């Protein structure tokens, strides 16, 4: 492989840039959410389940939750284990198809999500302060565009 190719791969790689930025943002949110015993990933799952509940869906099938969260069902199941052990979520079965496993937010999960809200807001403000409002909104828009246009 040529030196130019190696330099190009190192300097122009969108994937490496996204992963590095993603790790920094994740670490920032994790620092804030640690005080309520959550990681940013766990917070995201609880928030997604709460959002579904507010839309009249008290439980979501594992496949649907995995798709909404951008991960495969096996990874999601592994990530849900700590939330299940802490009784922040519970497993269930779909009423229409008993073979389908569902996940629902428990009352303890709702309470933890409420406790986490101020810490999440602090993290959000820290990102906005570091990037500036305009850049943060532009970044969010580009990330939404990438999620919509790139194949899964």
């Amino acid at each position: 492989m040529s030196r130019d190719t190696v330099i190009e791969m190192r300097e122009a790689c969108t994937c490496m840039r996204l992963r590095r930025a993603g790790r920094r943002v994740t670490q920032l949110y994790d620092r804030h959410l640690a005080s309520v015993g959550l990681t940013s990933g766990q917070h995201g799952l609880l928030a997604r389940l709460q959002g579904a509940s507010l839309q009249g869906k008290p439980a979501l099938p594992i496949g649907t939750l995995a798709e909404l969260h951008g991960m495969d069902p096996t990874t999601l199941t592994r990530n849900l284990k700590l939330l299940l052990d802490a009784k922040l979520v519970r497993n269930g079965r779909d009423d229409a198809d008993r073979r389908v496993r569902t996940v629902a937010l428990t009352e303890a999960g709702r309470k933890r999500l409420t406790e986490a809200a101020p810490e999440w807001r602090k993290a959000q403000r820290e990102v906005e302060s570091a990037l500036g409002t305009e850049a943060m909104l532009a970044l969010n828009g580009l990330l939404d565009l990438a999620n919509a246009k790139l194949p899964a």
Side-chain angles (χ1 to χ4, degrees), residues 113-131:
L113 193 57
T114 299
E115 292 168 1
E119 296 304 319
W120 176 86
R121 284 188 186 96
K122 287 177 191 174
Q124 190 76 1
R125 283 192 302 268
E126 190 172 331
V127 171
E128 185 174 3
S129 175
L131 299 179

Side-chain angles (χ1 to χ4, degrees), residues 30 33 36-49 69 78-84 86 88-89 105 112-113:
D30 283 349
L33 293 168
V36 294
L38 292 174
T39 65
S40 57
Q42 292 167 337
H43 177 269
L45 288 169
L46 295 178
R48 183 133 353 242
L49 288 168
H69 218 64
R78 198 170 43 250
N79 290 343
L80 285 170
K81 180 159 179 20
L82 290 174
L83 296 174
L84 285 162
L88 301 178
V89 300
L105 195 60
R112 182 76 60 92
L113 193 57

Side-chain angles (χ1 to χ4, degrees), residues 15-130:
C15 182
M16 286 193 324
R17 281 185 166 85
L18 277 170
R19 290 175 62 87
R20 184 176 54 216
R23 280 191 294 273
R24 285 192 179 170
V25 170
T26 298
Q27 289 166 354
L28 186 153
Y29 279 82
D30 283 349
R31 278 194 305 273
H32 285 281
L33 293 168
S35 66
V36 294
L38 292 174
T39 65
S40 57
Q42 292 167 337
H43 177 269
L45 288 169
L46 295 178
R48 183 133 353 242
L49 288 168
Q50 176 66 5
S53 179
L54 292 173
Q55 293 176 341
K57 300 172 191 162
L60 290 176
I62 287 288
T64 300
L65 183 57
E67 186 178 319
L68 289 169
H69 218 64
M71 58 178 53
D72 66 79
T74 304
T75 302
L76 175 64
T77 297
R78 198 170 43 250
N79 290 343
L80 285 170
K81 180 159 179 20
L82 290 174
L83 296 174
L84 285 162
D85 291 347
K87 300 192 182 339
L88 301 178
V89 300
R90 71 174 178 280
N91 284 322
R93 293 285 170 199
D94 188 298
D95 291 335
D97 185 347
R98 302 297 293 166
R99 296 170 296 172
V100 175
R101 182 175 146 220
T102 62
V103 180
L105 195 60
T106 64
E107 193 53 44
R110 280 185 187 78
K111 182 177 181 215
R112 182 76 60 92
L113 193 57
T114 299
E115 292 168 1
E119 296 304 319
W120 176 86
R121 284 188 186 96
K122 287 177 191 174
Q124 190 76 1
R125 283 192 302 268
E126 190 172 331
V127 171
E128 185 174 3
S129 175

